[in-house]
Amino acid sequence: MGLFGLFNKNKKETLDKGLEKTKQNVFTKLTRVVAGKSKVDDEVLDDLEEVLITSDVGVDTTLKIIRRIEERVERDKYVSTSELNGILRDEIASLLAENHSDDMDDWDLPSDHKPYVILVVGVNGVGKTTTIGKLAWQFKNAGKKVFLGAADTFRAAAVEQISIWGDRVGVPVVKQQMGADPASVAFDTLQSAKANGADVVLIDTAGRLHNKVGLMNELKKIKDVMKKVMPEAPDEVLLVLDGSTGQNAFEQARQFAAVTQITSLAVTKLDGTAKGGVVIGISDQLKVPVKYIGLGEGMEDLQLFNKRQFVDSLFGE
């Protein structure tokens, strides 16, 4: 097996291992749903609805999936319970595709301009700064020149944490003292990154949601100031969510979507939780693609999201 094939094999093994608890949770429930049944009928669909809701897929997304399966049963007239797993897998993959969650296999960036600017948002404790550090490592590993901006200036620990990640990964961090204007830090970061030929810029922001108006104004100011350096910035607004919190992640996503335009999602801490179904529901409800998933503590455990591999790991090949 070549090096690339080995890497993909290891990546799939990490995905399978990281989603094992969710898979066991879903499969155990599915097994009970079809026990003693030969065909998919109303009772099976009612039970399946409960399985998906209790697996943190979310009510609205669950009803959408059930409706699609009902249409398929109606069209085909007879669907055996042995087919249910494959149908469920196909419908969820189709749903993710509609939300523009493209299968990504490399860390390439658009080549029409640089640096590519990613503004990272999310509440404290979801793994936001850690995700930035891991993203920096992945991009650097892919041959990109990376700059980090410490624009979460309201917590001394946040500036210190991203600085530690910068040292660990070996990439520059642009920062100011605690309490400095976040927009000023973002401005300095872009100027420095542009002057030094950076390929990608990752900017950390404050993780506060108790004051929505303040957060909205702050993010707007950061964006406005960045446009003075690069009119198209930011290229991406990445919301980081903790997948292990299930429905709480849904609520965080809704609140952030209300104060700023989210263009992509990173769902962390999926290893060790049975709530991996939340990835499906959040993407569907926000109509925002999942771009990265966190499956462990290692640098390499932050993966590009591949919807087909994700669904296969949840429901079997």
Side-chain angles (χ1 to χ4, degrees):
M1 182 183 292
L3 184 62
F4 186 71
L6 180 64
F7 173 78
N8 280 339
K9 180 174 181 289
N10 290 341
K11 178 184 172 185
K12 186 61 167 62
E13 287 174 352
T14 299
L15 182 62
D16 289 342
K17 183 179 178 182
L19 295 177
E20 185 60 32
K21 287 194 176 181
T22 298
K23 181 178 180 178
Q24 287 177 357
N25 180 39
V26 173
F27 255 124
T28 299
K29 293 174 182 176
L30 278 177
T31 300
R32 288 200 296 266
V33 166
V34 301
K37 303 287 181 64
S38 61
K39 65 175 288 188
V40 176
D41 55 18
D42 289 344
E43 185 180 354
V44 168
L45 289 172
D46 285 345
D47 290 341
L48 176 60
E49 182 179 314
E50 183 180 348
V51 168
L52 294 174
I53 289 173
T54 58
S55 298
D56 287 276
V57 171
V59 175
D60 292 338
T61 302
T62 291
L63 293 177
K64 190 179 294 185
I65 293 168
I66 295 297
R67 191 158 55 245
R68 290 178 177 214
I69 295 176
E70 284 176 334
E71 290 170 358
R72 193 156 171 174
V73 170
E74 177 67 24
R75 184 177 67 244
D76 297 346
K77 302 305 178 188
Y78 181 88
V79 175
S80 69
T81 52
S82 62
E83 297 175 83
L84 184 59
N85 193 52
I87 292 171
L88 191 57
R89 181 189 63 201
D90 291 345
E91 293 301 339
I92 290 174
S94 175
L95 199 66
L96 287 168
E98 289 170 16
N99 301 327
H100 310 294
S101 289
D102 298 324
D103 290 345
M104 298 174 64
D105 296 310
D106 57 49
W107 292 84
D108 279 345
L109 294 167
S111 57
D112 56 341
H113 72 276
K114 66 178 190 178
Y116 186 83
V117 182
I118 304 174
L119 186 66
V120 187
V121 301
V123 300
N124 297 329
V126 297
K128 176 166 55 75
T129 307
T130 298
T131 297
I132 290 171
K134 290 179 179 180
L135 280 171
W137 182 84
Q138 291 280 19
F139 282 123
K140 185 182 178 185
N141 220 33
K144 312 295 182 190
K145 189 171 184 178
V146 184
F147 268 62
L148 303 181
D152 182 357
T153 59
F154 290 90
R155 290 189 309 124
V159 178
E160 182 182 356
Q161 188 182 6
I162 199 168
S163 298
I164 290 170
W165 272 106
D167 291 340
R168 186 177 175 187
V169 177
V171 299
V173 178
V174 178
K175 58 188 176 182
Q176 295 180 17
Q177 71 277 13
M178 181 182 171
D181 181 6
S184 174
V185 177
F187 182 85
D188 288 350
T189 304
L190 256 62
Q191 275 201 322
S192 183
K194 192 173 180 181
N196 287 279
D199 297 299
V200 58
V201 175
L202 298 157
I203 297 180
D204 193 10
T205 61
R208 301 166 301 150
L209 259 179
H210 58 274
N211 183 348
K212 291 184 187 178
V213 174
L215 179 62
M216 180 169 60
N217 291 339
E218 181 182 304
L219 292 174
K220 182 179 185 302
K221 185 178 178 183
I222 289 173
K223 289 180 180 179
D224 289 345
V225 167
M226 286 197 296
K227 290 183 186 303
K228 294 179 180 179
V229 184
M230 296 182 64
E232 67 275 19
D235 297 283
E236 198 173 317
V237 178
L238 174 68
L239 173 62
V240 181
L241 297 166
D242 179 349
S244 71
T245 64
Q247 295 306 300
N248 284 340
F250 263 107
E251 186 55 33
Q252 286 178 20
R254 290 191 189 100
Q255 290 187 51
F256 265 99
V259 300
T260 191
Q261 184 179 7
I262 307 299
T263 61
S264 59
L265 301 171
V267 185
T268 67
K269 306 180 185 181
L270 289 174
D271 57 306
T273 180
K275 298 181 178 182
V278 73
V279 171
I280 302 162
I282 288 175
S283 177
D284 175 55
Q285 292 304 302
L286 263 68
K287 302 302 179 199
V288 173
V290 178
K291 199 164 184 179
Y292 312 103
I293 52 175
L295 299 160
E297 295 298 321
M299 299 272 209
E300 69 286 352
D301 292 333
L302 181 74
Q303 292 191 2
L304 292 165
F305 182 70
N306 181 299
K307 65 179 181 293
R308 176 52 68 180
Q309 288 183 0
F310 179 85
V311 174
D312 285 347
S313 287
L314 275 188
F315 298 101
E317 297 291 343

